[in-house]
Amino acid sequence: MPPLFALDVSETPVPQWVLLDCSEGARWRLADAGVDPLDIAHIALSHPHPDHAALPQLVQARACEASFGRAAGRALPLAIYLPEASARAITDLWRWHAPEDDGVPTTRFALDVVGAGDGFARELFAGVTLRARAVVHGGAPAVAWRVEAPAGVFAYSGDSGVCEALVELAAGADLFVCESAARVGSAAMRGRHLTPREAGDIARRAGVKSLWLTHYDGRDGDAEMVADARASGFVGAVRVARDGDEAMVGSGA
């Protein structure tokens, strides 16, 4: 399941969107979920691997809509947060896609690229804070994200091996969405990905209320994955996430 999670952190009928990871087909998948890419103000990427960071396509689609599409001139400024090493290298990505513009991705809306190191914190909206911790992912620069809002706390691990930083980041979260790309009982991806049991152990140690397993390859059944997570001793709610699922975090959406 390609990672793409849209959080509405507003306490009013007017949404305030934060996008966590931006996998392929983001424009269409967001539309299917009723989320307008022009309304997204913040995108937080866990790491630069292409299954998590198909940025140029979404930025171009957003620029086209803001230029001559159905909502010309309406796009919000966009901030993109990603590991510091990836932020420094992103100019090369823009230049590869738009050499005729010397790597300028768009002039249709303000675009800010922000490097997020271990311990990063920024207030995105009033009362809503984005935090990052550096995690291990086989040598790739990677962070996990935590969104703290008045309604509750959402924690997200894009890709990671077992590490204390992930436990600390997820501490007390209402919902922890965690990758489980390693198969049940497998050690083949140790240091790069988590098994469901490892995800469950992190959730148990962090004291999270609910765990969603995501970014899995589908070769293990849902019941087997949930049982493996339970074998860690985690007693909170556990489920295997599906594209299009929705959740209420704490007292809000």
Side-chain angles (χ1 to χ4, degrees), residues 38 62-77 108-109:
L38 295 174
R62 205 172 183 270
C64 288
E65 293 287 9
S67 176
F68 51 77
R70 56 188 164 73
R74 191 175 65 79
L76 291 174
R108 302 303 180 183
F109 52 84

Side-chain angles (χ1 to χ4, degrees), residues 110-152:
L111 179 63
D112 187 22
V113 175
V114 181
D118 191 48
F120 171 88
R122 174 168 292 192
E123 187 175 56
L124 306 184
F125 304 101
V128 178
T129 300
L130 176 70
R131 301 186 186 275
R133 290 298 309 271
V135 296
V136 297
H137 183 40
V143 297
W145 296 106
R146 177 184 179 95
V147 179
E148 299 171 348

Side-chain angles (χ1 to χ4, degrees), residues 47-239:
H47 63 293
H49 287 161
D51 55 333
H52 292 254
L55 271 179
Q57 295 83 356
L58 182 62
V59 170
Q60 182 189 46
R62 205 172 183 270
C64 288
E65 293 287 9
S67 176
F68 51 77
R70 56 188 164 73
R74 191 175 65 79
L76 291 174
L78 178 64
I80 299 172
Y81 309 88
L82 66 171
E84 290 175 320
S86 303
R88 290 192 296 268
I90 201 170
T91 300
D92 292 333
L93 175 66
W94 300 136
R95 189 171 288 117
W96 189 81
H97 278 283
E100 73 281 11
D101 295 325
D102 195 29
V104 176
T106 182
T107 59
R108 302 303 180 183
F109 52 84
L111 179 63
D112 187 22
V113 175
V114 181
D118 191 48
F120 171 88
R122 174 168 292 192
E123 187 175 56
L124 306 184
F125 304 101
V128 178
T129 300
L130 176 70
R131 301 186 186 275
R133 290 298 309 271
V135 296
V136 297
H137 183 40
V143 297
W145 296 106
R146 177 184 179 95
V147 179
E148 299 171 348
V153 175
F154 179 95
Y156 171 62
S157 171
D159 281 345
S160 175
V162 174
C163 57
E164 287 303 309
L166 193 51
V167 178
E168 294 166 5
L169 177 116
D174 294 282
L175 175 59
F176 178 35
V177 173
C178 186
E179 68 94 10
S180 298
R183 294 196 64 187
V184 170
S186 173
M189 293 187 176
R190 188 155 290 159
R192 294 183 292 143
H193 291 288
L194 302 171
T195 65
R197 185 175 303 203
E198 289 169 336
D201 188 59
I202 289 167
R204 176 187 62 80
R205 294 173 59 201
V208 308
K209 296 178 182 177
S210 182
L211 170 66
W212 282 21
L213 303 173
T214 187
H215 200 32
Y216 46 87
D217 67 13
R219 288 181 288 174
D220 296 321
D222 289 12
E224 188 178 5
M225 292 178 66
V226 170
D228 195 48
R230 287 279 185 219
S232 69
F234 178 64
V235 296
V238 184
R239 66 176 293 174

Side-chain angles (χ1 to χ4, degrees), residues 239-250:
R239 66 176 293 174
V240 176
R242 290 281 185 271
D243 210 21
D245 283 352
E246 297 182 3
M248 300 291 287
V249 177

